[in-house]
Amino acid sequence: MQNYDPDASYDVNDGDPDPQPRYTQLNDNRHGTRCAGEVAAVASNGICGVGVAYNAKIGGVRMLDGEVTDMVEAQSLSLNPQHIDVYSASWGPEDDGKTVDGPAKLAKEAFMRGVTEGRGGLGSIFVWASGNGGREKDSCNCDGYTNSIYTLSISSSTQNGNVPWYSEACSSTLATTYSSGNLNEKQIVS
Ligand SMILES: [Ca+2]
Ligand SMILES: [Ca+2]
Ligand SMILES: [Ca+2]
């Protein structure tokens, strides 16, 4: 709560400033909150773990809980680019091993403007998930978002240093870090 930054937040789905997720029975809107905790949970908070960058400010952009149009993507990727330094995105084409898709016109434009004008001209940093389609033999090379030269595509490793079952290994991956693996290995908690 202390590190939450309203100026780095927006609800693109409902067009309001509060990106509070909509709760569902399957809990499928939890991912952003979990990532936010992993990145920027306050140190010594007396409740749960500490964020990797516990003094960082963090916001949320609600954009997956509705129709994901080119406009929705572009709006999300170009939110307050002189205030936000790093955008972390865990979305992209379906991980079904069949869908090949990438940014359309407006999202491409948002990437281009971000890397040239964002962060005071230094360029916005777009961190991208390499994808969860491992079980379907999906390849992040066939994902135009991880594949884009404007994104830093990040993959995962289990506690024991193996490739997790959901992970997609491909050449557009720039770095790998720990994440959840098999049931007998430690998992991300936030
Ligand atoms: Ca809202
Ligand atoms: Ca994928
Ligand atoms: Ca990339």
Side-chain angles (χ1 to χ4, degrees):
M1 195 183 292
Q2 240 169 275
N3 285 341
Y4 178 70
D5 181 0
D7 293 333
S9 304
Y10 195 70
D11 183 341
V12 179
N13 289 136
D14 282 348
D16 68 63
D18 181 3
Q20 176 87 15
R22 179 177 61 92
Y23 287 94
T24 67
Q25 213 125 47
L26 290 174
N27 205 8
D28 34 23
N29 291 326
R30 70 187 168 179
H31 188 78
T33 307
R34 189 183 180 210
C35 292
E38 189 181 347
V39 171
V42 169
S44 308
N45 59 50
I47 301 168
C48 196
V50 56
V52 173
Y54 50 80
N55 283 331
K57 293 284 175 201
I58 195 155
V61 179
R62 179 169 178 252
M63 52 78 73
L64 277 188
D65 197 11
E67 202 193 340
V68 187
T69 61
D70 188 23
M71 174 75 100
V72 165
E73 295 183 5
Q75 257 186 295
S76 306
L77 294 170
S78 57
L79 180 73
N80 217 347
Q82 300 312 332
H83 179 69
I84 299 171
D85 293 340
V86 181
Y87 299 76
S88 179
S90 300
W91 50 270
E94 294 293 325
D95 285 324
D96 56 10
K98 297 174 193 154
T99 308
V100 178
D101 198 6
K105 195 168 177 239
L106 299 174
K108 268 189 195 155
E109 178 82 23
F111 278 136
M112 191 57 99
R113 286 180 93 108
V115 298
T116 51
E117 296 164 23
R119 209 164 46 112
L122 294 172
S124 308
I125 298 167
F126 297 105
V127 175
W128 220 272
S130 66
N132 286 344
R135 190 163 51 187
E136 314 300 329
K137 303 244 183 306
D138 204 30
S139 169
C140 45
N141 276 333
C142 296
D143 170 336
Y145 300 86
T146 64
N147 220 351
S148 163
I149 61 168
Y150 305 124
T151 64
L152 306 176
S153 186
I154 308 296
S155 186
S156 49
S157 160
T158 72
Q159 182 193 5
N160 297 322
N162 298 313
V163 178
W165 60 271
Y166 53 82
S167 183
E168 297 175 34
C170 79
S171 56
S172 69
T173 303
L174 287 194
T176 291
T177 189
Y178 289 113
S179 190
S180 304
N182 295 321
L183 282 178
N184 57 349
E185 291 174 281
K186 290 211 164 64
Q187 308 205 359
I188 300 293
V189 177
S190 175

